[in-house]
Each structure stands twice: as C-alpha cells, then as structure tokens.
Amino acid sequence: KNQVEQSPQSLIILEGKNCTLQCNYTVSPFSNLRWYKQDTGRGPVSLTIMTFSENTKSNGRYTATLDADTKQSSLHITASQLSDSASYICVVSAKTGANNLFFGTGTRLTVIP
Amino acid sequence: NAGVTQTPKFQVLKTGQSMTLQCAQDMNHNSMYWYRQDPGMGLRLIYYSASEGTTDKGEVPNGYNVSRLNKREFSLRLESAAPSQTSVYFCASSDLPGDTEAFFGQGTRLTVV
C-alpha cells in the first residue's frame, strides 16, 4: 500500500535553533518527492523537489535529503525564524497514473522567541 | 499573477443545504484538483480533472460533484451538505497530471451545522 508517514507530528523549538523533519514512504514506483510549507490559513507552497538521483538539495535555510534505498527524506531547517512556524507536508509522486500523489499528514512546527 | 483563486473563503451551511465552491487558475494549467483537509488526516483528494473535459474521482468523492467548466475553472458542488463535510477545502492546479508541483488556492473553510 502506498503511504507517506511524517514525524514528528508536532515540534516546538526556540528561535535560532535547528530542526529536522522526517518523511518515510512506501510509494512505488517512485517518481519524486516534494516538501511543502503551509502557513496557517493558507494553501501549501512548494519548498523543494527531490528526484531519484538527488541526495541533497538546499533552498536557503532549508535542506532536503533523500535516501531512495531506505525510502526516507528529511527536511532540515537551519537557524529557525518565527516565520518558519507552519506545517510541513511531504508529498510523494508515483510514476504511473494521474491520481498518483500521496500526502503525508504533515509536521506542525512552532518556533518560539 | 493571481495563481489559484477560490471563493468563498468561509461558509456556514445548514445540513441539507447545497452550495458550489468556485476555483479559477490563471497559469494555463491542464490539471486541477479538489482536496479536503481535516485535522490529523492531511490532504485527501476528492476529485480531479487531468485535462479540460475530463473529471475523475479521487479518494473521497461521496457527496460531491465537480464541473470542469473550461480550462481555467473547476467547481465543487455539495448537493446536500452533511456535518461530515465540515472541513477546509483546497483547489489546486498543475501543469501536468500527477505533477507534484501543484499550486494551491487559499482554501475555503466550510462548516456544516
């Protein structure tokens, strides 16, 4: 069964600290994995995409990793800011079918001063 | 560039009432989607339209109907609202079917009493 699981469900960190969010998936055949950021009351916005051949990709203070062998991805946030408070959603795409997106339930990150 | 626009942003319905959620995108995308988001369950696909003139059921289609009016517009109709349909609804679009880079609207918070 194609599934995407994220951990932790929620996380509270102090401003300036780093954190890592996890995404494990069983989606097959794998196409790509994308991390979204969803601010409260808004729709999700794409942060980064990881394809099969990519291990690490950075977007400013966000660094995503992918281990296609273990089917795990992580999103590392460096020097967190209050504006990083949001839900982070992992979405995995399978190679076949139009209805082929599998969503994680997200990690709710709260950054406190 | 407005992206994906949803209306209304908030709505309260009585059980049994009907309503239509409107969605329009200005990115000339082929595919459009309707999701619902409930606490702890992540985004679940209701219906999608891979291209103009086609619609297909997603994971949770019961109680909903859709219309792909043209390439820009994709509406979601609740014929007889039920309390179980209380949720936040998101419309999204993507260039290609199954593309993980979906662009989301700001959401419609629907409460059925």
Side-chain angles (χ1 to χ4, degrees):
Chain A
K1 184 179 179 182
N2 291 315
Q3 286 186 313
V4 178
E5 295 184 351
Q6 293 186 242
S7 62
Q9 189 172 5
S10 62
L11 183 62
I12 300 174
I13 62 173
L14 290 173
E15 186 178 12
K17 297 296 186 181
N18 303 335
C19 67
T20 300
L21 315 181
Q22 299 289 344
C23 174
N24 297 335
Y25 62 92
T26 59
V27 176
S28 182
F30 175 83
S31 178
N32 59 68
L33 181 150
R34 193 178 290 269
W35 285 94
Y36 282 85
K37 179 185 180 187
Q38 184 178 19
D39 292 316
T40 301
R42 307 295 296 271
V45 175
S46 175
L47 284 174
T48 187
I49 182 172
M50 303 296 290
T51 59
F52 188 84
S53 59
E54 295 175 309
N55 297 118
T56 304
K57 184 181 286 185
S58 292
N59 177 6
R61 294 180 297 101
Y62 299 100
T63 299
T65 67
L66 176 67
D67 185 334
D69 292 330
T70 62
K71 298 186 177 181
Q72 296 180 324
S73 178
S74 66
L75 181 68
H76 185 75
I77 304 174
T78 304
S80 61
Q81 300 176 358
L82 298 179
S83 60
D84 293 330
S85 294
S87 288
Y88 292 84
I89 302 171
C90 176
V91 182
V92 181
S93 171
K95 282 186 178 178
T96 56
N99 181 17
N100 64 338
L101 299 186
F102 300 90
F103 287 79
T105 55
T107 293
R108 177 71 202 175
L109 175 65
T110 303
V111 181
I112 58 175
Chain B
N1 190 344
V4 179
T5 303
Q6 287 181 236
T7 56
K9 194 165 185 178
F10 300 95
Q11 184 71 48
V12 178
L13 288 178
K14 293 182 179 179
T15 298
Q17 285 186 317
S18 62
M19 78 161 295
T20 300
L21 281 63
Q22 306 287 352
C23 175
Q25 52 93 6
D26 62 4
M27 295 171 283
N28 201 36
H29 282 166
N30 292 297
S31 301
M32 298 186 73
Y33 313 83
W34 277 105
Y35 293 92
R36 60 178 289 173
Q37 187 175 41
D38 301 291
M41 300 194 73
L43 285 153
R44 292 184 293 169
L45 183 64
I46 304 171
Y47 271 93
Y48 65 100
S49 172
S51 61
E52 186 180 357
T54 69
T55 61
D56 286 286
K57 295 178 180 180
E59 181 184 356
V60 288
N62 291 344
Y64 306 95
N65 285 301
V66 291
S67 295
R68 183 76 182 264
L69 303 171
N70 47 56
K71 192 171 186 179
R72 289 187 64 247
E73 298 172 288
F74 189 39
S75 63
L76 178 72
R77 183 162 178 83
L78 286 70
E79 290 291 351
S80 179
S84 61
Q85 294 178 305
T86 294
S87 187
V88 181
Y89 291 85
F90 287 98
C91 177
S93 71
S94 64
D95 189 27
L96 297 172
D99 189 343
T100 55
E101 186 170 24
F103 294 81
F104 287 81
Q106 79 276 23
T108 296
R109 184 172 292 275
L110 175 67
T111 303
V112 183
V113 298

